[in-house]
């Protein structure tokens, strides 16, 4: 075999000639003092009101009764979805009720003189609210429209036209009011179901039972 180059191949004993670096000394682990821990277990402190829930030793009595300032309503998916849709419908109706200024502007705009309408080039404009109507009457008349649409006395085209002309910014939110009411009715039937496998009525019954008690304890809750 060919021997290695003299300039590039180190001698066998050359590795021993290199000085090895000394290993660093292990750093001393500082001693941890127990003073950083609390010397005693913290106890409940009354910052206001009375201390009726504390025993003679200052410990919290979990089974001590007190006048309840709140009630816990434990719900499942059915109850949660019901209140979620109910709140959505309420907020949409409230938004319509508080749009008197927008309706007044729409009434003024729709009743401006228009030459094209006077000579018969355009169809008759929307006449649901009259220029003489007081803004306080807008919401009651809108409620009548909603009731007639729900009962089927007003067709969908007429219903949506009124909302689109007078409630341009938020009237579309009530286009699906029938679907929201159908869902609420279906969930309400589930809440009053007599099926033994359905636990929703039991949750409602437990809440109504707890409402009758003026006092409770943390252990009970």
């Amino acid at each position: 075999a060919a021997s290695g180059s003299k300039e590039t191949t180190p001698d066998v004993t050359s590795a021993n000639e290199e000085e090895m670096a000394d290993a660093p000394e292990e750093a001393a682990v500082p001693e941890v003092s127990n003073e950083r821990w609390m010397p005693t277990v913290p106890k409940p402190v009354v910052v206001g009101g009375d201390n009726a829930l504390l025993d003679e030793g200052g410990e919290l009595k979990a089974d001590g009764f007190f006048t309840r300032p709140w009630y816990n309503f434990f719900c499942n998916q059915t109850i949660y979805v019901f209140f979620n849709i109910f709140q959505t419908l309420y907020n949409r109706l409230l938004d319509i009720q508080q749009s008197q200024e927008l309706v007044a502007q729409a009434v003024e705009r729709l009743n401006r003189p228009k030459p094209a309408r006077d000579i018969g080039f355009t169809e008759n404009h929307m006449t649901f609210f009259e220029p003489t109507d007081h803004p306080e009457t807008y919401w009651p008349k809108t409620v009548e429209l909603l009731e007639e649409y729900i009962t089927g006395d007003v067709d969908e085209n007429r219903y949506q036209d009124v909302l689109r002309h007078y409630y341009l910014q938020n009237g579309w939110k009530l286009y699906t009011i029938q679907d929201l009411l159908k869902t609420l009715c279906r969930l309400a039937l589930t809440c009053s179901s007599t099926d033994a496998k359905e636990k929703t009525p039991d949750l409602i019954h437990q809440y109504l039972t707890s409402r009758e008690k003026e006092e409770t304890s943390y252990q009970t809750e």
Side-chain angles (χ1 to χ4, degrees):
S3 60
S5 174
K6 184 176 182 180
E7 288 77 13
T8 59
T9 304
D11 296 337
V12 177
T13 59
S14 63
N16 297 331
E17 296 176 357
E18 298 179 359
E19 296 181 357
M20 301 298 293
D22 296 336
E25 297 181 358
E26 295 183 358
V29 179
E31 296 182 359
V32 180
S33 175
N34 292 331
E35 294 181 355
R36 67 175 183 171
W37 300 102
M38 300 184 66
T40 59
V41 178
K43 296 183 178 181
V45 178
V46 179
V47 296
D50 56 8
N51 57 351
L53 295 180
L54 301 181
D55 57 13
E56 297 178 354
E59 299 292 338
L60 179 65
K61 296 185 296 184
D63 57 346
F65 286 93
F66 60 92
T67 303
R68 59 192 321 162
W70 33 254
Y71 297 89
N72 289 326
F73 187 12
F74 300 97
C75 63
N76 56 5
Q77 182 178 3
T78 301
I79 300 176
Y80 174 80
V81 174
F82 176 86
F83 280 109
N84 187 278
I85 296 178
F86 184 85
Q87 183 183 19
T88 300
L89 179 59
Y90 173 82
N91 290 333
R92 293 182 179 183
L93 292 173
L94 181 63
D95 191 17
I96 294 295
Q97 184 185 17
Q98 296 176 347
S99 301
Q100 295 182 358
E101 295 183 2
L102 297 177
V103 176
Q105 296 175 3
V107 172
E108 190 274 334
R109 183 183 69 254
L110 292 173
N111 288 276
R112 292 175 184 173
K114 296 182 179 180
R117 185 175 58 207
D118 295 338
I119 62 179
F121 279 4
T122 59
E123 298 180 356
N124 295 331
H125 66 289
M126 177 65 62
T127 56
F128 184 75
F129 295 115
E130 299 294 339
T132 57
D133 290 342
H134 195 274
E136 294 182 356
T137 63
Y138 293 158
W139 173 243
K141 293 186 67 173
T142 304
V143 172
E144 293 180 3
L145 176 67
L146 293 172
E147 293 177 350
E148 292 177 353
Y149 173 65
I150 294 173
T151 57
D153 296 334
V154 174
D155 60 4
E156 186 176 8
N157 293 332
R158 169 66 176 175
Y159 170 74
Q160 293 186 2
D161 284 343
V162 173
L163 294 179
R164 183 167 56 253
H165 280 82
Y166 295 101
Y167 299 96
L168 181 61
Q169 297 182 3
N170 49 16
W172 58 270
K173 296 180 180 180
L174 294 181
Y175 285 177
T176 59
I177 187 173
Q178 288 187 345
D179 297 333
L180 295 177
L181 292 176
K182 289 178 182 178
T183 304
L184 287 177
C185 292
R186 178 175 55 82
L187 295 173
L189 290 176
T190 304
C191 293
S192 59
S193 174
T194 58
D195 188 359
K197 298 181 180 179
E198 182 59 50
K199 302 302 181 182
T200 304
D202 294 338
L203 294 174
I204 298 176
H205 177 71
Q206 293 177 9
Y207 171 72
L208 295 177
T209 302
S210 65
R211 291 279 299 182
E212 298 176 356
K213 301 178 182 179
E214 298 181 356
E215 294 184 344
T216 186
S217 64
Y218 286 104
Q219 185 175 5
T220 302
E221 297 298 325

